[in-house]
Amino acid sequence: DDDTKRINCPFCGGKYTLTISKRDGSLIWNCYKASCSASGGKRVGYGLDAIKRKFNNNEPSSIHKRIYPLPEVNSSIEHHEHVIKYIDDNNCRKAFDDGAIKITYDPAKDRTLFWMNDDSGAVGRALQKDIKPKWLSYGDTQGVLSVGNQDVAIIVEDAASACAVYATGKYTGVALLGTNISPVQRIQLKAYTKLIICLDKDASRKSIVLLRKLQGVASCKVKFLDHDLKWYDGMGITKILNDA
């Protein structure tokens, strides 16, 4: 219950391309190989642990994401002015230039793609305001997306904010790609000596919930923000965190 596994696809034979999740009493599976159409769901009921959580009003460990196969065509951002503008406007340029993160462009969906650290998946940001949802997941995005190699991690929601944090040179930007945390992400965060939770202003309550879940993982605290970190350059973010 409330877990996801990645296995070889029994339909197309793809290696580790099929994910299978159990959420809210349903089993859901999907293959990320572009040439494979395997996907589906089945109602199987709740396990004992899930029933206990429901009675105790505990939230599940992760959230639903609409996931797409990795795009067959990826374009360099340097060939598209509106992509470069998004990268510059959201203070992602230094992280990209330094090779701290892989960023490409999906021309089919007009989205900027921020790739996971192992290239197994990516998250795509819509470049037009009227396109919903704002973010899409491609492939496997179960873990955190970290940008940098500093010992202190700044926990943010999205990939662009993690890139902006990198520009400080003092912190690693770590994107949860949402506001909930999974068991996989919790294990990954043990690599850091200190965690500072910096979610968007409208997620203040989630910040406190997250703080409780991360206690015991590393030294952890919350910094409440007036604005999203991606609106600041490296010096601005450093000042905000120093004021904390």
Side-chain angles (χ1 to χ4, degrees):
D1 289 294
D2 299 324
D3 198 6
T4 298
K5 302 292 184 185
R6 192 170 184 183
I7 61 174
N8 295 342
C9 180
F11 302 96
C12 70
K15 188 174 182 180
Y16 296 111
T17 59
L18 187 93
T19 61
I20 183 166
S21 304
K22 190 178 181 186
R23 299 281 186 268
D24 297 326
S26 294
L27 206 61
I28 303 167
W29 59 91
N30 183 68
C31 181
Y32 299 126
K33 194 171 182 179
S35 60
C36 183
S37 60
S39 66
K42 180 180 181 181
R43 189 71 182 171
V44 293
Y46 293 95
L48 181 59
D49 289 340
I51 292 173
K52 289 179 179 178
R53 283 195 294 272
K54 288 181 71 67
F55 274 105
N56 292 328
N57 293 319
N58 290 336
E59 295 183 1
S61 58
S62 61
I63 59 174
H64 290 285
K65 295 180 182 179
R66 190 173 182 183
I67 301 174
Y68 288 82
L70 291 172
E72 294 183 357
V73 177
N74 274 289
S75 180
S76 169
I77 69 170
E78 303 293 354
H79 300 154
H80 307 277
E81 291 185 4
H82 70 308
V83 182
I84 294 175
K85 184 177 188 304
Y86 174 82
I87 294 299
D88 290 340
D89 288 349
N90 290 273
N91 294 295
C92 301
R93 170 60 72 173
K94 182 169 177 55
F96 174 73
D97 287 345
D98 289 356
I101 186 171
K102 177 182 175 181
I103 304 176
T104 62
Y105 173 60
D106 177 6
K109 291 186 170 63
D110 192 24
R111 290 178 180 269
T112 301
L113 267 60
F114 296 84
W115 287 76
M116 302 297 288
N117 299 112
D118 60 0
D119 285 353
S120 62
V123 287
R125 174 60 159 83
L127 295 174
Q128 298 181 42
K129 293 182 178 179
D130 57 342
I131 299 297
K132 303 295 181 182
K134 185 185 296 183
W135 290 92
L136 284 182
S137 294
Y138 297 71
D140 185 357
T141 59
Q142 294 182 67
V144 298
L145 193 162
S146 60
V147 187
N149 54 13
Q150 305 297 326
D151 291 335
V152 179
I154 308 301
I155 309 299
V156 295
E157 291 183 47
D158 63 86
S161 294
C163 290
V165 168
Y166 170 85
T168 64
K170 297 181 178 181
Y171 307 100
T172 295
V174 178
L176 295 180
L177 309 178
T179 54
N180 289 312
I181 186 167
S182 70
V184 171
Q185 292 174 328
R186 183 182 169 90
I187 292 172
Q188 291 174 326
L189 291 175
K190 290 182 179 181
Y192 300 97
T193 59
K194 186 176 183 179
L195 307 173
I196 303 176
I197 301 169
C198 294
L199 303 187
D200 295 348
K201 188 175 182 179
D202 59 358
S204 297
R205 188 181 69 85
K206 287 285 187 180
S207 296
I208 301 301
V209 172
L210 188 58
L211 176 65
R212 293 170 182 163
K213 291 182 178 180
L214 290 176
Q215 288 176 343
V217 173
S219 173
C220 187
K221 68 178 181 179
V222 171
K223 169 62 180 175
F224 294 107
L225 303 174
D226 292 324
H227 302 286
D228 197 338
L229 287 183
K230 60 177 170 282
W231 301 121
Y232 299 92
D233 60 15
M235 292 180 62
I237 294 174
T238 299
K239 184 179 185 304
I240 290 171
L241 295 175
N242 285 343
D243 290 344

